[in-house]
Amino acid sequence: MDDEIATLVSVARQQMSKQWMPNRFLDLLETGEVPKGHLRALAGELHRLVGSDRRSFSLLASRFPSAPAGDLFLTMAQGESEALRLLLDFASALGMDESELVAYEPRPLAQAYPAYLTQTALHGTRSDIALTLLANAAESGDQYTRVADALCKRYGFDEQAVGHFRFFAATPQELLDQAAETLRTGLAGGDDPGEAVRTARMVHAYELAFWRALSEDIVRGRAGADLARAAEGR
């Protein structure tokens, strides 16, 4: 990674670090406090999110078909297809079939992330998603590792059932190299580096919003239960 690319990644990560907040859903998952119904919601939200991302990356590949961008976005679209396949194993472990995933009613704020990605795929540059991948891959991968580990440790899922989360836990170096070359080519072609940094920051914020949306009902339910117990004790 050359100096210009490394500097942009560093700037994007610095901006992303200012958005940091505890991931309440993962904290609850790691203590075994996420009810099974909310695990089913996780499967449903991910099914819609990943399907949307696959279409977004396919659109980017059609907008920027030449290498290296075309190769990057096609690989990412294919990766989302594999992730959808693996998600079926997680759903099956929860007693859900594909028809239930399709019928699932999503939480609007949980789907803000794929909606923004679609907007970027329609109107953004090749550099926007390339920088986003480079800046966000490590943190996002850590989150998926935490999910997989917690599901195995606290809920008794086997490795096949958590394959979807393991898949996203580590980004292949080849894909990161393609992203760096795509970013380098895009900047040389006139892409706005400031807009690429902004996109990385926005995607990161929307990913945090995804997890926060999943935790809100759990936290609200716990608060309601605490109030009910307090009322009973009066």
Side-chain angles (χ1 to χ4, degrees):
M1 190 182 296
D2 62 32
D3 289 345
E4 181 182 19
I5 302 303
T7 297
L8 269 185
V9 171
S10 177
V11 170
R13 286 177 175 166
Q14 287 173 8
Q15 293 198 12
M16 289 158 50
S17 70
K18 297 175 182 178
Q19 300 169 328
W20 184 89
M21 63 182 65
N23 190 321
R24 188 62 173 142
F25 183 84
L26 294 189
D27 291 343
L28 291 168
L29 194 69
E30 288 174 334
T31 55
E33 297 177 83
V34 176
K36 184 176 180 180
H38 286 76
L39 294 181
R40 292 169 66 91
L42 173 62
E45 297 291 352
L46 286 172
H47 184 264
R48 183 168 290 270
L49 183 155
V50 174
S52 177
D53 285 0
R54 179 174 62 176
R55 292 188 292 273
S56 293
F57 295 139
S58 297
L59 174 59
L60 281 162
S62 70
R63 288 185 60 211
F64 304 104
S66 299
D71 295 337
L72 170 67
F73 297 133
L74 278 177
T75 300
M76 294 177 75
Q78 291 164 358
E80 301 297 322
S81 294
E82 176 64 8
L84 276 176
R85 185 188 69 79
L86 293 170
L87 185 62
L88 295 179
D89 291 328
F90 178 56
S92 178
L94 292 166
M96 301 175 72
D97 59 24
E98 191 168 6
S99 65
E100 290 177 276
L101 291 175
V102 172
Y104 172 80
E105 290 295 335
R107 292 162 168 78
L109 293 181
Q111 296 301 314
Y113 161 76
Y116 180 76
L117 193 66
T118 298
Q119 176 184 315
T120 302
L122 282 168
H123 304 295
T125 69
R126 72 197 115 172
S127 297
D128 294 342
I129 295 300
L131 178 60
T132 296
L133 175 61
L134 290 167
N136 199 41
E139 181 178 332
S140 182
D142 287 344
Q143 290 174 334
Y144 277 100
T145 296
R146 288 178 63 188
V147 173
D149 289 347
L151 287 172
C152 292
K153 180 179 179 180
R154 293 293 184 179
Y155 296 86
F157 287 87
D158 60 23
E159 283 298 321
Q160 180 176 346
V162 301
H164 171 88
F165 304 100
R166 297 290 187 207
F167 179 78
F168 282 127
T171 303
Q173 186 59 47
E174 181 181 0
L175 193 67
L176 296 175
D177 291 343
Q178 285 181 320
E181 186 58 31
T182 295
L183 179 56
R184 186 179 299 107
T185 302
L187 295 174
D191 291 351
D192 182 355
E195 188 61 33
V197 169
R198 183 177 296 113
T199 299
R201 175 177 58 82
M202 293 289 286
V203 168
H204 178 259
Y206 282 125
E207 187 167 358
L208 293 175
F210 171 81
W211 296 112
R212 186 166 61 249
L214 285 171
S215 70
E216 285 177 349
D217 289 347
I218 304 173
V219 173
R220 191 180 301 116
R222 286 160 58 94
D226 289 344
L227 286 173
R229 283 193 293 271
E232 290 173 358
R234 289 175 185 170

